[in-house]
């Protein structure tokens, strides 16, 4: 067939024949077994349909063979280097932290280092001898770097099992050497797409690594024979391991786990980003949440339960604030319950626009007050329930300076005027230098946290047996809703303000929830009772005589009014009630409030909190 084509175009045949001869010689000279060098491949390339080729086609084909021949003639590694005792390492890094340390260490141990692009240049600049991956693959980097290591000479050397004779025979047949160590990290996709300077969709796509994950997964799968490293923190331990004489499989398995986890987290970021780019529903058909261990905890809710704390590394959580990313300036290590209580206090205090103090016990706010003078707000929050506040969590939405820090340190309990108030945690958006110094002097154990405000629009996840519930966060504030007057008596401006304040507090109290407030200060609350009437009675008892003229907020509607919660609230002296409405007995609630000349507001928004 080749002769037929040559007869049709003599001038092109000479060029083509020369190219084929060069290719064959190059292949034999390099002991290179390839489909390119087989006669079948040559005939298929020149005439797959057994038809003569035109002179132009034959000329183009000859150029292609010449390019292949030139590539194949490039010197490459001794294919049996690892088999013969010379160990090989493959290094390809985006993050080149401690690369010189690693390269010199491996070189001192006698490893031949194969590397790519910028990594190779960085190693050479550090005085480390490098074989570039093109010399191994006999193929240049192409497609703007998309294809560098996706080649049998790379993946064959990683995936071959040393204990399988036919694997090693295949490597020898094709002139491929083995790799003993693979060190790879990935394109900085996460950092790129989460940076404040937004990148285009096209740039995001180009930052998705392909060759890197393939090498990592290959090495991790074959970890019995190949050590895989994805974290620069593991370089010293790797070098120490290689200097030893024992081959511990546990170390290899731990590195393999870390490698697969690294790729899984990377892929979850890509998946999350692409789902948002597709503009689909907020809840995808499948969801992966990448979690990173922040600390092991002494125990869980109770001493017999083991526990740990993880940080959510989802793209949606980048710079989104919250207790998980808070800075601890002082005190004992955080416990499981500390995190829950601090989160509850911080979420509540961040809802308020005015300077506010919130005190939480067992995730429920027991004291809340807003004042221009933050010291006054703090004292009022303690006064709301000083017994519960003792040993609680104190949160502020303004800077803690010297003055408020002194008051936190010295303030005595309103119950006896003598006992100095004790707290587990103080959390605020920032601290003055002097304020921080004073708080540190209050107690060696006091945990001092500096946190950023939670962003709105987050996804809220909660575990149930065998699954997870997902929902939008309850981000609504009084400015987002209407307080509709349904009673004959309309509230005065101050009463409406009190109702809005109580409504903002009650959304953070466990259901069934009742909050009584006046003058931007919580007076009492009832939480977590199976019936709303009992929650009301607890709140009234805590409010005491101050209930006269106060506002009441309920997290859900009142199922009954007469001889029940609504009437008891009216009889106690409450001046305005805010509730969602929606009960079939709403007319009873309206009639009851009209009888006692109490203003009734329907919000049409429920705030269940379980």
């Amino acid at each position: 067939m080749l002769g037929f084509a040559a007869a049709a175009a003599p001038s092109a045949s000479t060029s083509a024949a020369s190219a084929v001869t060069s290719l064959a010689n190059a292949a034999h000279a390099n002991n290179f077994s390839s489909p390119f060098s087989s006669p079948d491949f040559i005939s298929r390339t020149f005439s797959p349909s057994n038809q003569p080729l035109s002179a132009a086609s034959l000329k183009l084909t000859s150029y292609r063979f010449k390019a292949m021949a030139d590539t194949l003639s490039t010197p490459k590694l001794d294919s049996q280097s690892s088999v013969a005792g010379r160990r090989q390492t493959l290094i390809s890094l985006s993050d080149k932290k401690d690369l010189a340390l690693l390269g010199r260490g491996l070189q001192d141990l006698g490893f031949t280092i194969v590397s790519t692009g910028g990594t190779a240049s960085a190693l050479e600049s550090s005085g480390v001898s490098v074989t570039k991956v093109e010399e191994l693959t006999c193929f240049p980097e192409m497609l703007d770097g998309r294809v560098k290591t996706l080649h049998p000479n790379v993946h064959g050397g990683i995936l071959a099992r040393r204990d399988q004779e036919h694997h090693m025979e295949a490597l020898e047949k094709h002139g491929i050497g083995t790799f003993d160590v693979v060190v790879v990290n990935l394109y900085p996709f996460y950092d790129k797409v989460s940076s404040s300077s937004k990148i285009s969709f096209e740039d995001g796509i180009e930052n998705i690594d392909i060759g890197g994950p393939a090498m990592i997964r290959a090495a991790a799968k074959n970890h019995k024979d190949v050590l895989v490293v994805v974290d620069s923190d593991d370089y010293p331990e790797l070098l120490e391991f290689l200097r030893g004489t024992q081959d511990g499989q546990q170390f290899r398995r731990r590195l393999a786990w870390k490698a697969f986890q690294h790729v899984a987290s990377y892929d979850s970021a890509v998946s999350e980003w692409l789902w948002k780019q597709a503009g689909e529903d907020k809840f995808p058909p499948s969801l992966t949440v990448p979690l990173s261990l922040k600390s092991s905890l002494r125990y869980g809710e109770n001493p017999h339960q083991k526990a740990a704390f993880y940080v959510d590394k989802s793209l949606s959580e980048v710079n989104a604030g919250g207790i998980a990313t808070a800075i601890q300036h002082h005190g004992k290590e955080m416990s499981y319950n500390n995190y829950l209580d601090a989160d509850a206090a911080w979420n509540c205090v961040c809802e308020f626009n005015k300077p506010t103090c919130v005190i939480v016990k067992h995730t429920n706010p027991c004291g809340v007050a807003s004042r221009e003078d933050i010291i006054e707000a703090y004292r009022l929050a303690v006064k709301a329930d000083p017994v519960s506040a003792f040993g609680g969590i104190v949160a502020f939405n303004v800077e803690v300076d010297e003055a408020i820090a002194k008051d936190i340190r010295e303030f005595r309990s309103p119950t006896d005027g003598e006992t100095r108030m004790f707290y587990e945690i103080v959390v605020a958006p920032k601290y003055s230098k002097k304020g921080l110094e004073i708080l540190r002097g209050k107690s060696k154990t006091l945990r001092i946290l500096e946190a950023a405000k939670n962003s709105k629009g987050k996804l809220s996840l909660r575990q149930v047996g065998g699954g997870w519930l997902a929902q939008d966060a309850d981000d609504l504030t009084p400015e987002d809703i209407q307080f509709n007057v349904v009673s004959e008596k309309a509230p005065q401006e101050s009463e409406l303000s009190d109702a809005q304040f109580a409504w903002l507090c009650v959304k953070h109290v466990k259901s069934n929830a009742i909050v009584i407030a006046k003058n931007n200060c919580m007076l009492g609350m009832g939480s977590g009772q199976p019936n709303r009437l009992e929650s009301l009675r607890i709140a009234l008892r805590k409010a005491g005589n101050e209930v006269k003229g106060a506002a009441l907020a309920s997290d859900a509607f009142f199922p009954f009014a007469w001889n029940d919660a609504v009437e008891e609230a009216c009889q106690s002296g409450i001046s305005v009630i805010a509730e969602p409405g929606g009960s079939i007995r709403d007319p009873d609630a309206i009639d009851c409030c009209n009888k006692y000349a109490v203003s009734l507001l329907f919000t049409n928004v429920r705030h269940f909190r379980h």
Side-chain angles (χ1 to χ4, degrees):
M1 180 166 55
L2 180 60
F4 183 86
S11 61
S13 71
T14 305
S15 177
S18 175
V20 173
T21 303
S22 298
L23 176 63
N25 290 340
H28 287 298
N30 285 280
N31 191 27
F32 181 79
S33 176
S34 163
F36 295 136
S37 59
S38 71
D40 286 343
F41 171 77
I42 295 172
S43 10
R44 287 197 303 271
T45 301
F46 273 95
S47 184
S49 58
N50 294 323
Q51 296 298 319
L53 294 178
S54 68
S57 297
L58 191 56
K59 186 175 182 180
L60 179 60
T61 304
S62 72
Y63 289 157
R64 289 174 178 164
F65 272 111
K66 186 176 186 301
M68 292 177 189
D70 291 343
T71 301
L72 289 170
S73 65
T74 304
K76 72 183 193 107
L77 282 175
D78 174 7
S79 62
Q80 298 302 310
S81 59
S82 281
V83 179
R86 290 177 57 197
R87 298 181 294 178
Q88 287 186 161
T89 299
L90 178 61
I91 306 178
S92 181
L93 303 173
S94 288
D95 180 1
K96 298 174 178 59
K97 178 185 175 184
D98 294 333
L99 174 58
L101 168 73
L102 174 68
R104 293 189 190 110
L106 290 169
Q107 186 171 260
D108 292 343
L109 287 167
F111 278 84
T112 297
I113 297 175
V114 179
S115 191
T116 61
T119 307
S121 299
L123 285 166
E124 288 173 335
S125 298
S126 301
V128 177
S129 298
V130 178
T131 298
K132 294 184 177 179
V133 75
E134 300 95 297
E135 299 177 48
L136 190 71
T137 62
C138 302
F139 210 91
E141 177 183 317
M142 63 184 296
L143 306 182
D144 299 320
R146 285 187 169 200
V147 178
K148 286 185 282 192
T149 57
L150 296 170
H151 194 282
N153 283 11
V154 173
H155 286 271
I158 296 173
L159 283 165
R161 291 180 56 180
R162 315 304 196 259
D163 61 350
Q164 296 293 317
E165 186 176 346
H166 65 285
H167 280 206
M168 302 311 292
E169 288 174 351
L171 293 190
E172 183 177 3
K173 176 181 178 181
H174 295 286
I176 300 173
T178 58
F179 285 104
D180 302 282
V181 180
V182 172
V183 184
V184 177
N185 57 46
L186 307 176
Y187 292 169
F189 175 84
Y190 185 95
D191 294 335
K192 290 287 186 181
V193 299
S194 62
S195 66
S196 54
S197 54
K198 302 296 183 182
I199 66 171
S200 67
F201 178 78
E202 290 72 20
D203 286 342
I205 291 294
E206 287 308 311
N207 274 280
I208 298 174
D209 204 323
I210 302 300
M215 289 188 289
I216 291 171
R217 290 175 62 85
K221 177 175 181 174
N222 202 28
H223 64 268
K224 181 181 177 182
D225 296 312
V226 183
L227 290 157
V228 56
V229 179
V230 296
D231 185 351
S232 58
D233 289 344
D234 292 325
Y235 293 170
E237 192 173 1
L238 169 70
L239 295 172
E240 190 61 33
F241 178 84
L242 292 171
R243 292 186 189 104
T245 56
Q246 296 185 348
D247 190 6
Q249 286 300 311
Q250 284 305 112
F251 177 66
R252 290 176 175 272
R253 288 172 186 171
R254 180 165 61 82
L255 290 180
W257 164 82
K258 197 169 189 177
F260 278 118
Q261 185 60 47
H262 181 67
V263 174
S265 295
Y266 189 88
D267 286 344
S268 74
V270 174
S271 174
E272 180 185 356
W273 179 76
L274 275 174
W275 180 257
K276 289 181 180 178
Q277 299 298 315
E280 300 289 345
D281 186 82
K282 186 168 187 176
F283 304 102
S286 64
L287 180 65
T288 301
V289 180
L291 302 177
S292 177
L293 180 67
K294 182 173 183 178
S295 61
S296 296
L297 306 178
R298 286 173 293 158
Y299 51 81
E301 269 185 301
N302 302 291
H304 65 277
Q305 296 171 273
K306 293 182 179 180
F309 182 58
Y310 290 83
V311 175
D312 188 341
K313 304 298 288 185
S314 300
L315 291 172
S316 59
E317 289 292 335
V318 175
N319 299 320
I323 285 298
T325 55
I327 300 169
Q328 183 171 350
H329 291 291
H330 181 73
K332 289 174 63 176
E333 65 184 66
M334 293 282 286
S335 72
Y336 185 97
N337 293 327
N338 286 156
Y339 276 115
L340 291 176
D341 288 337
D343 185 59
W346 186 240
N347 290 342
C348 183
V349 79
C350 287
E351 294 264 41
F352 295 86
N353 296 322
K354 295 179 180 179
T356 301
C357 174
V358 170
I359 302 177
V360 159
K361 194 69 167 288
H362 295 300
T363 72
N364 280 302
C366 57
V368 183
S370 297
R371 289 290 187 277
E372 290 305 320
D373 181 357
I374 194 62
I375 294 178
E376 183 184 0
Y378 162 64
R379 292 182 177 185
L380 288 170
V382 175
K383 183 183 175 183
D385 188 350
V387 175
S388 297
F390 193 87
I393 283 76
V394 184
F396 299 92
N397 62 356
V398 295
E399 179 183 69
V400 172
D401 60 13
E402 179 179 358
I404 184 61
K406 284 182 177 178
D407 217 63
I408 295 170
R409 186 183 66 184
E410 301 297 337
F411 189 62
R412 267 41 178 185
S413 172
T415 56
D416 60 13
E418 295 182 0
T419 304
R420 184 179 293 177
M421 292 300 294
F422 163 76
Y423 304 113
E424 290 277 352
I425 301 169
V426 175
V427 55
K430 56 182 176 179
Y431 299 82
S432 70
K433 183 177 180 181
K434 192 65 177 178
L436 192 57
E437 179 184 329
I438 291 169
L439 282 182
R440 282 172 171 158
K442 178 175 174 62
S443 166
K444 291 182 179 179
T445 62
L446 177 65
R447 301 161 182 87
I448 303 173
L449 303 182
E450 181 178 327
K453 183 178 179 179
N454 263 322
S455 298
K456 286 192 171 186
K458 286 188 175 184
L459 188 66
S460 175
L461 296 173
R462 189 167 181 180
Q463 189 173 19
V464 296
W468 292 83
L469 292 166
Q471 65 174 356
D472 290 326
D474 187 359
D475 290 333
L476 291 179
T477 64
E479 292 76 23
D480 300 319
I481 67 167
Q482 295 291 322
F483 287 76
N484 301 303
V485 180
V486 294
S487 58
E488 293 174 355
K489 179 179 179 291
Q492 298 178 8
E493 187 176 341
S494 62
E495 291 174 327
L496 176 59
S497 176
D498 288 340
Q500 292 172 334
F501 181 89
W503 184 86
L504 193 52
C505 292
V506 81
K507 68 179 282 192
H508 293 276
V509 177
K510 293 294 178 65
S511 300
N512 287 308
I514 297 290
V515 165
I516 297 171
K518 184 164 57 178
N519 297 330
N520 289 326
C521 177
M522 178 192 286
L523 302 177
M525 69 89 179
S527 65
Q529 300 304 306
N531 69 78
R532 198 159 299 280
L533 178 58
E534 195 60 34
S535 288
L536 170 73
R537 289 170 176 171
I538 293 171
L540 289 172
R541 186 172 68 249
K542 289 183 178 181
N545 294 331
E546 293 185 82
V547 72
K548 304 297 182 183
L552 180 150
S554 174
D555 66 334
F557 64 66
F558 292 100
F560 300 98
W562 301 109
N563 297 315
D564 206 276
V566 176
E567 188 166 27
E568 285 195 20
C570 292
Q571 291 171 340
S572 71
I574 290 291
S575 66
V576 58
I577 297 174
E579 57 139 314
S583 168
I584 59 173
R585 296 184 179 87
D586 279 349
D588 288 349
I590 294 171
D591 291 343
C592 184
C593 287
N594 287 339
K595 175 183 176 180
Y596 291 95
V598 172
S599 299
L600 181 60
L601 309 175
F602 282 176
T603 65
N604 299 315
V605 175
R606 191 180 71 185
H607 277 312
F608 268 167
R609 189 174 187 84
H610 289 86

